[in-house]
Amino acid sequence: MSYFTVIDFRSGVDRRRPVYAGEPGSLWAGINGHLTRGGDFERRKKFVSKYTIPAGTFGLAGTDTALYVFGSAVNPGVPVGLTYQRLQHPDGLAMTELLDVELFDGLLYAIAKYSNGDIIHFYDGVVVADWLSGIVRAAMTNNAGIASHLATLIQADTTYTTTVLSNVITVEAAVAGVPFTMSTTTENVAGGTNDQTAVVANTVANVPGVAEVLSTVKFAITAGTNNPGVNRVFSIKVSGIEVMSTPIDWTTSNAVTAANVATQINVFNSTPEYTATSSGDNVTISAAAGTGAGPNGFTVVIDPDGDVAIDGAAAGTNVNKQMAGGVAAVAGQKQRNTITIGGTFEVGDRFTVIIDNKRFGADGNPRNKGKFALTHVNKVWSPATSIVYFSGVVQPDKWNSIEDAGAGSINAATHAAGSATVTGLGVYLSRLAIFARRTIQIWNVDEDENLNNILQTLSNTGTVSQRSVLAFSDSDVFYLDSYGIRSLRARDSSNQAIVAGVGALIDPFVVEHMDTLTDTQIQNAVAAIEPRDGRFWLALGPLIFVFSYFPETKISGWTWYDPGFEVSDLAVFNNRIYARSGNTVYLYGGDDNQTYDGENESPVTCWLPFLSVEKDGTYKEFWGVDIAAENTWDMVMYADPNDLGRVSHVGTLPGVTYQLDDIPTIAHSTHISPKLTCNKAGKAVLSKVSLYYEGSEES
């Protein structure tokens, strides 16, 4: 008796060669299962219906704290366990699609499409204004609508206030006496009539305010001795009005006497009223608030007695001085300008008002709308046509290349032919990979946009499926090419990228499958990493291609799932993977992560290629088979590589059969191809297949 054992399935599905030319350890088909760390073929878990969502929601995204769906209307009542983020169009239009969603600093950066084709960016549910400001939308039905939009932009700056009357905006300084300069630009982007205007006029001039300055007089007590009732400041009169109620004796020092004089002036209520302060030997008398320049020139007579001297004059000599320096207050006037919107503005045209070098409108903002986004080096990146725009540093809502530090753009088309339309972005090592359909550029990018530089261009490869681009392990970026599934990988220690055929074994089947799909289905392919075992999933049309990679045991192979529905979105939340199809959200493995399909729900199939088990040209009598398995597997055997219709049913094999009675195969052939299917409920694993035979004549 001879026998041959397939000890594992570590290579996964291999479609590089026909079914009759396969290798032991590979599969012709692995459906609804995947490879384990030991190379076994294991049934996938069940996609359990977790949430049924009302119509009008889109997408699926996970953060550290919640699982989100999106829409433009008021929350339609999503079930408990999901969080609804409203993405409301400024003009109230209905959302039709979630184009992309990305995490930045734990919050969601979302891009949505609306019923009129508008594409709007949001950060944490708030419109990112720089993608819209100063660009004519359909809802701006006339010049009055444009004026209203522009006034709203300016009003957000508290330095100015605005009002709108029809097509005229009035801009007024918030503070009187603070001038501003103003200019405008308009641009005919949409074609059609090129006569749009935004004309500035000054209607109220700025008048600087003048603060009141009180009229004052200053004198010093320069001599005196202590002799109460004799040596004293007897009287002080301003324009004939006495400002003290009693004489002030010289006491202790000139400074003390000056302080006592000031106190006496302050406590005495004269008409008009005056106040005083002292500093050392000096006394300063001030006119009342509100008198401005009026007291300037008033005569002030200081009358000392005894040996008290004023301003160095002889003891006891009167000193005459005049009040001066008073300035009347002048109320400031707020500058006021108008902007008159005129001519023909069409959807897509751009306009800007510049006030004191602050831009309100389109200047410096992205010119086209990005349809997807990527977080990298503290910025959000979003391409439109050939231009890859990037936000300010740690400012995902700031995209103005003139005003926002770090914001700007890269024109991929000027660095490599074939990059007129950027179709994807990925992070390769710490670098930015910019994908076009048939070109990939590798860039070194930095918070300082002046340090951005291209490192490498890879031709004849690329993607049309942005959501298929995903970092895998620590040095690969997987993506869906028109030729199959590819990866960017480091060539050597230089980290120069090469294109690796990570999907080479399954690519013929992937391409065959893509030929059955629409362009939209291919573009909407979406990838994710199943977090429990690190498997790469690529949902492409109705199938999910699965890459199991366990380098420590040299297991590396593809299989595919057929869940029975088409996945539109994949999301990871709470270390579990969720899939959305239509208005249903499925949880892979169910709440306990141990739920499998029931009987006949989703058969799992492990189909081995034709095996010669010895010499290719030798006929054998296959008379028995054993398997090492969990659960019950039904086996059929193909015996003719030229006729897959020639198939014999071996039987139903319950688990490990090596110690059971021999299970016959009854086949006479040079090659044999076992196909095992499990329709029973629960977990199912296939570990080994042994074929028993007797050698026969040469063919």
Side-chain angles (χ1 to χ4, degrees):
M1 177 187 75
S2 299
Y3 70 93
F4 177 83
T5 300
V6 178
I7 61 172
D8 60 39
F9 313 100
R10 64 179 55 241
S11 298
V13 174
D14 186 351
R15 290 293 183 97
R16 292 173 298 175
R17 305 181 71 189
V19 64
Y20 51 77
E23 294 289 335
S26 68
L27 301 175
W28 180 249
I31 307 172
N32 286 325
H34 47 242
L35 304 183
T36 69
R37 285 173 170 80
D40 300 333
F41 182 73
E42 177 184 62
R43 180 184 222 155
R44 67 159 172 83
K45 296 171 185 175
K46 181 181 178 68
F47 288 90
V48 177
S49 177
K50 179 68 175 176
Y51 303 111
T52 300
I53 315 171
T57 71
F58 305 89
L60 187 69
T63 69
D64 287 345
T65 58
L67 188 64
Y68 285 83
V69 294
F70 306 84
S72 55
V74 175
N75 187 345
V78 301
V80 175
L82 290 177
T83 299
Y84 180 77
Q85 186 170 95
R86 188 179 186 187
L87 306 178
Q88 191 170 8
H89 191 288
D91 304 324
L93 298 176
M95 181 175 167
T96 58
E97 186 179 357
L98 181 74
L99 297 177
D100 198 18
V101 61
E102 177 77 347
L103 273 175
F104 186 94
D105 196 22
L107 302 175
L108 294 170
Y109 192 99
I111 304 175
K113 190 173 183 180
Y114 293 83
S115 57
N116 68 340
D118 279 355
I119 296 171
I120 311 290
H121 290 221
F122 297 82
Y123 182 58
D124 195 25
V126 178
V127 171
V128 180
D130 284 351
W131 290 90
L132 292 180
S133 296
I135 303 174
V136 178
R137 302 195 304 273
M140 301 174 192
T141 54
N142 51 35
N143 290 345
I146 293 170
S148 177
H149 171 76
L150 191 52
T152 300
L153 297 179
I154 299 171
Q155 187 69 40
D157 190 319
T158 57
T159 309
Y160 319 100
T161 60
T162 63
T163 56
V164 181
L165 181 61
S166 185
N167 64 322
V168 179
I169 309 160
T170 298
V171 181
E172 186 177 76
V175 178
V178 178
F180 59 84
T181 60
M182 178 182 288
S183 62
T184 65
T185 64
T186 62
E187 184 180 357
N188 184 41
V189 175
T193 306
N194 185 14
D195 65 350
Q196 55 280 336
T197 59
V199 179
V200 175
N202 176 244
T203 56
V204 177
N206 174 67
V207 176
V210 178
E212 180 184 46
V213 179
L214 300 180
S215 186
T216 62
V217 67
K218 182 179 181 181
F219 62 90
I221 299 173
T222 55
T225 59
N226 188 21
N227 191 353
V230 176
N231 298 334
R232 58 187 179 172
V233 178
F234 180 75
S235 169
I236 301 175
K237 292 180 180 178
V238 180
S239 194
I241 303 298
E242 180 63 57
V243 297
M244 298 196 308
S245 63
T246 183
I248 297 299
D249 290 328
W250 190 101
T251 181
T252 308
S253 67
N254 293 335
V256 171
T257 305
N260 291 339
V261 168
T263 299
Q264 175 54 218
I265 294 172
N266 289 333
V267 300
F268 178 64
N269 294 322
S270 62
T271 304
E273 175 67 0
Y274 295 89
T275 60
T277 60
S278 68
S279 177
D281 300 345
N282 294 294
V283 177
T284 300
I285 300 174
S286 301
T291 57
N296 289 347
F298 281 9
T299 299
V300 179
V301 179
I302 303 102
D303 181 11
D305 280 347
D307 62 2
V308 174
I310 304 297
D311 286 346
T317 301
N318 288 358
V319 174
N320 293 341
K321 301 178 76 86
Q322 287 188 334
M323 299 193 76
V327 177
V330 177
Q333 185 170 268
K334 296 179 180 180
Q335 180 178 338
R336 189 179 301 156
N337 284 11
T338 60
I339 308 168
T340 302
I341 305 299
T344 308
F345 283 87
E346 294 146 327
V347 173
D349 286 349
R350 296 162 67 91
F351 51 90
T352 301
V353 173
I354 304 170
I355 309 177
D356 290 339
N357 296 319
K358 299 176 182 177
R359 284 168 169 76
F360 303 92
D363 279 5
N365 287 336
R367 296 190 64 84
N368 298 294
K369 302 298 194 305
K371 296 181 180 180
F372 53 88
L374 175 75
T375 297
H376 187 48
V377 294
N378 290 321
K379 301 179 183 183
V380 176
W381 302 70
S382 184
T385 62
S386 67
I387 310 299
V388 181
Y389 297 101
F390 46 88
S391 72
V393 179
V394 199
Q395 292 185 302
D397 57 346
K398 300 296 182 182
W399 294 77
N400 192 286
S401 60
I402 300 173
E403 296 187 339
D404 300 325
S409 63
I410 292 170
N411 186 354
T414 63
H415 292 86
S419 300
T421 301
V422 175
T423 55
L425 296 175
V427 178
Y428 165 69
L429 300 178
S430 60
R431 301 164 181 178
L432 181 69
I434 300 175
F435 289 78
R437 190 182 189 100
R438 302 304 308 149
T439 305
I440 303 173
Q441 298 178 29
I442 307 297
W443 281 72
N444 178 64
V445 293
D446 193 88
E447 289 185 357
D448 181 353
E449 66 273 21
N450 295 312
L451 299 179
N452 295 344
N453 63 291
I454 188 169
L455 300 175
Q456 187 181 2
T457 299
L458 301 166
S459 300
N460 301 314
T461 187
T463 190
V464 296
S465 311
Q466 155 61 18
R467 293 193 301 162
S468 75
V469 180
L470 188 66
F472 180 77
S473 71
D474 58 354
S475 59
D476 283 77
V477 177
F478 285 11
Y479 60 97
L480 179 64
D481 196 339
S482 58
Y483 303 138
I485 302 168
R486 298 287 182 268
S487 74
L488 293 178
R489 182 175 299 170
R491 174 186 295 136
D492 49 37
S493 59
S494 71
N495 289 332
Q496 285 283 98
I498 60 171
V499 176
V502 68
L505 273 65
I506 202 171
D507 279 345
F509 179 71
V510 172
V511 172
E512 179 184 321
H513 174 63
M514 290 169 66
D515 288 342
T516 70
L517 304 178
T518 65
D519 290 345
T520 299
Q521 286 176 303
I522 294 170
Q523 291 168 9
N524 289 341
V526 56
I529 303 296
E530 193 282 316
R532 292 298 181 96
D533 292 300
R535 292 186 177 91
F536 174 83
W537 288 15
L538 178 67
L540 178 60
L543 302 182
I544 302 174
F545 293 94
V546 179
F547 182 60
S548 302
Y549 179 61
F550 306 108
E552 65 279 3
T553 53
K554 299 182 180 179
I555 304 301
S556 175
W558 290 91
T559 54
W560 70 86
Y561 301 160
D562 185 356
F565 52 82
E566 188 163 332
V567 173
S568 61
D569 303 274
L570 292 170
V572 174
F573 169 62
N574 199 23
N575 209 37
R576 302 292 304 281
I577 193 164
Y578 293 78
R580 177 168 182 168
S581 179
N583 289 324
T584 302
V585 174
Y586 298 88
L587 173 57
Y588 180 68
D591 289 333
D592 61 0
N593 199 31
Q594 294 298 322
T595 301
Y596 291 87
D597 285 301
E599 187 163 355
N600 295 320
E601 281 190 330
S602 291
V604 53
T605 298
C606 181
W607 185 359
L608 282 63
F610 280 91
L611 304 171
S612 67
V613 305
E614 197 179 60
K615 294 181 180 180
D616 285 344
T618 302
Y619 275 93
K620 301 98 181 171
E621 292 290 341
F622 292 96
W623 59 266
V625 63
D626 275 316
I627 65 171
E630 182 176 343
N631 211 323
T632 299
W633 294 76
D634 190 73
M635 177 183 278
V636 297
M637 199 74 74
Y638 297 90
D640 186 350
N642 294 309
D643 183 7
L644 293 183
R646 181 186 168 190
V647 58
S648 59
H649 183 254
V650 175
T652 301
L653 285 62
V656 180
T657 64
Y658 286 96
Q659 295 180 339
L660 302 179
D661 293 336
D662 293 336
I663 299 169
T665 58
I666 313 174
H668 179 74
S669 178
T670 59
H671 296 69
I672 197 165
S673 172
K675 181 178 181 180
L676 296 100
T677 300
C678 179
N679 284 298
K680 299 297 183 180
K683 184 176 181 180
V685 180
L686 183 63
S687 300
K688 292 182 180 182
V689 176
S690 294
L691 301 171
Y692 301 97
Y693 66 95
E694 296 291 346
S696 185
E697 74 277 7
E698 297 288 330
S699 61

